[in-house]
Amino acid sequence: MDQTGTVDNLLTEERVFRPLPQMVRQANLSPQKCEAARKLAADDPLSFWEEAAEELYWFKRWDQVLDDSNPPHYRWFPGAQCNIVYNALDRHIETAAKNRLALIWEGEPGDSRKYTYYELYRAVNRLASALRGLGLSKGEKVVLYLPNLPETVIAMLASAKIGAPHCLVFAGFSAKALRERIRSTGASTVITADGFYRNGRVIALKNVVDEALSGEDSPWVRRVIVVHRANVQANMVEGRDFWYEDLVRHERPQAQTEAMDANDPLFILHTSGATGKPKGVVHSHGGYMVGVNRTFSWVFDIKATDIFWCTADLGWVTGHTGAVYGPLMAGTTTLIYEGHPLYPQADRFWNIVSKYGVTILYTSPTVIRMLKRFGSQYPRRHDLATLRLLGSVGEPISPETWMWFHKHIGRSECPVLDTWWQTETGMFMISPLPVSLLKPGSVGKALPGVEVDVVDREGNPTPAGKGGYLVVTKPWPGMMSALHNDREGYFQDYWKLIPGCYFAGDVARRDEDGYLWIQGRADDVLNIAGHRLGTAELESALVSHPAVAEAAVIGVADPIKGEVAKGFAVLNQTAAPSPALAEELRQHIRRELGPVASVREVVFRDRLPRTRSGKLLRRVLRAEETGQDISQDLGDISALEE
Ligand code: WTA
């Protein structure tokens, strides 16, 4: 939560913004159509989603829209065959979209590349052929340890095209985190780059892969494909490592798109939960493509002339849905940027918007707060008149941050669409539409076809104004199909606490008008700069240091990142507390997990608060730290489970 936007602020927020008449006139989904869609979705949700499925191409039609005979293991469109890549790419080659720009990429040093749909299609086919040539087959997993490069998009699509599920690992994760993810997916192939540019520096990547694959317990990987990006010396292992360019150079630009069962996996993406191990969220071709296609094109009102920029890293779900599959299925132009928002200075984003004529900008509150700090003179230097819609995702946006974004970036004209969703939900769930009335700081209402509620511990809806747990009460097509190799965890983590409902792990309130206000996580998951990190993962990193006997980690408010971690360590008897050791522990966590683990400080304690059964009471530490707890009305989930 922003420092400027405490929960109290949210409760007294009364500003509303009505859609401008020209916005209503131009919207693909008029207010009347929107009402009709809501009505159909409420009366007959399966017909609503069936109609959404009919907008896409299938190799074979479904036997049933939803198989709900074994909840919570729902199966969408059973019996159908499809491939999301056919819808994101192949079908556009037959239409006017063929020669439209599909992808614009800008590198941090200022270099840039553009691909039309036809060019992207051919590049994907070349890599798909090369992967097949290397013996990769349907069902084999491919780990992509890559920054935002065109090849990352190409590798996602090429893997999906041949039916090999992709698993992106954010390039800010450490060798150890990468190794864990390679091992848990059982991937046979890793695609990476020699390095990339970030904040004026070259970050080496291939050597991190080498480290992840070395040692006694290293995972078994047969092939490593390396994109040449930053002229970093790479140690190529004969027979295992290949340069991307060498592989694709002589390949044919045609490749068969594999017909997948609707419930075959498209990708695995790891996310943090309340336990020490990241969870592998699995999404399948059929349901994900239907859910993403409908919600993305409705929320962002996509037109043929748009240039859509989602600023997220491709390694997170926002990148998957918001930068790749959503925009490409919609046939629009997606823009990706390799580097840091402040490089070489605080107007880089505004420079990109004006240079390419970006029409829709989808970003996170962390980025907005970071750029806001430098003042409005930076955006004022650039022509931002092409922008027509703004979007926010990943964390609660405070009304003040929303207002700044709306006024200084959106000329007080562009609606700010605050989209609530998760790695697990795959698609946007709660969001205003361009024709909606907006309240700064609120995510609005559930999208048509999505049913959510705010409930207490017993599952009873909470009255307006009172906090509760956010749940989804009906299955939706973009929902994860499983947790990789963890059937029990899927039930335990999401479906057990409130029977019959999907438990999102967030605390929310609904106001008198039914608008939803997200307040933050209810569980032991931190949201650092919009990135999910489990306190348990941070704790196991801290306790892996030889000086530490016991550890606890909580989130503390940060003016830019929303939240950062604070560690508490009980030392072994042989170790003595000192400022140098505290710093060493902070660095240790970073080495273990990667730069994504932003820890403000580590402090020493003689003991940690625990329940009688020995469970760590993080909420006691949190209350000591802040005097309040966002889940104060409810107690946190660990309390619920005690
Ligand atoms: C948070 C990111 C407030 C929330 C797409 C959720 C949000 C977690 C919003 C999922 C929003 C996401 N307003 N909070 N608009 N969007 N969140 O899986 O706590 O990386 O549970 O997916 O981010 O994070 P994830």
Side-chain angles (χ1 to χ4, degrees), residues 1 269-272 281 316-319 362 365 392-397 417-428 430-431 441-443 470 502 504-507 517-523 525-527 530-532:
M1 171 66 46
L269 190 58
H270 289 88
T271 190
S272 293
V281 170
W316 307 100
V317 77
T318 310
Y362 187 34
S392 175
V393 62
E395 336 145 47
I397 184 167
L417 306 167
D418 184 3
T419 58
W420 179 90
W421 56 296
Q422 304 179 297
T423 308
E424 294 88 340
T425 71
M427 64 186 214
F428 306 161
I430 308 174
S431 172
S442 165
V443 289
L470 182 63
Y502 168 83
D506 279 13
V507 178
W517 303 76
I518 309 289
Q519 290 166 269
R521 296 289 304 190
D523 54 9
V525 173
L526 305 188
N527 192 329
H531 301 151
R532 274 164 72 174

Side-chain angles (χ1 to χ4, degrees), residues 329-342:
M329 277 194 287
T332 189
T333 305
T334 186
L335 189 152
I336 59 172
Y337 167 56
E338 174 186 43
H340 195 275
L342 302 181

Side-chain angles (χ1 to χ4, degrees), residues 66-189:
L66 171 67
D67 173 3
D68 57 359
S69 58
N70 184 24
H73 303 280
Y74 298 98
R75 292 172 71 246
W76 283 86
F77 309 105
Q81 288 200 320
C82 60
N83 190 312
I84 194 168
V85 180
Y86 195 94
N87 287 293
L89 222 46
D90 303 8
R91 69 179 170 140
H92 297 315
I93 306 312
E94 310 295 323
T95 71
K98 180 182 173 194
N99 303 318
R100 192 184 293 158
L101 279 184
L103 176 66
I104 300 175
W105 167 79
E106 176 152 304
E108 193 181 77
D111 45 346
S112 151
R113 263 147 67 187
K114 292 179 179 171
Y115 293 74
T116 63
Y117 271 91
Y118 186 57
E119 288 164 340
L120 186 63
Y121 167 79
R122 285 163 63 97
V124 167
N125 286 345
R126 282 206 176 86
L127 181 62
S129 305
L131 294 176
R132 283 194 175 122
L134 287 173
L136 205 85
S137 59
K138 184 172 167 176
E140 256 179 80
K141 319 281 188 313
V142 183
V143 163
L144 310 185
Y145 187 58
L146 282 164
N148 280 12
L149 295 175
E151 287 81 1
T152 314
V153 178
I154 294 167
M156 290 168 79
L157 296 168
S159 308
K161 180 157 193 150
I162 66 167
H166 55 71
C167 172
L168 272 98
V169 178
F170 175 53
F173 274 124
S174 65
K176 193 170 163 209
L178 172 63
R179 175 194 314 207
E180 258 172 40
R181 285 158 176 79
I182 296 172
R183 186 181 298 127
S184 79
T185 50
S188 61
T189 306

Side-chain angles (χ1 to χ4, degrees), residues 58 60-68 72-84 138-139 141 163 165 259-268 282-290 476-482 490:
W58 302 75
K60 177 172 173 285
R61 201 181 161 92
W62 47 91
D63 302 329
Q64 213 182 337
V65 176
L66 171 67
D67 173 3
D68 57 359
H73 303 280
Y74 298 98
R75 292 172 71 246
W76 283 86
F77 309 105
Q81 288 200 320
C82 60
N83 190 312
I84 194 168
K138 184 172 167 176
K141 319 281 188 313
M260 306 297 289
D261 284 343
N263 286 282
D264 280 341
L266 163 66
F267 64 81
I268 303 175
V282 183
H283 282 283
S284 300
H285 280 258
Y288 175 81
M289 96 183 172
V290 172
W476 65 100
M479 67 198 300
M480 64 179 150
S481 49
Y490 174 77

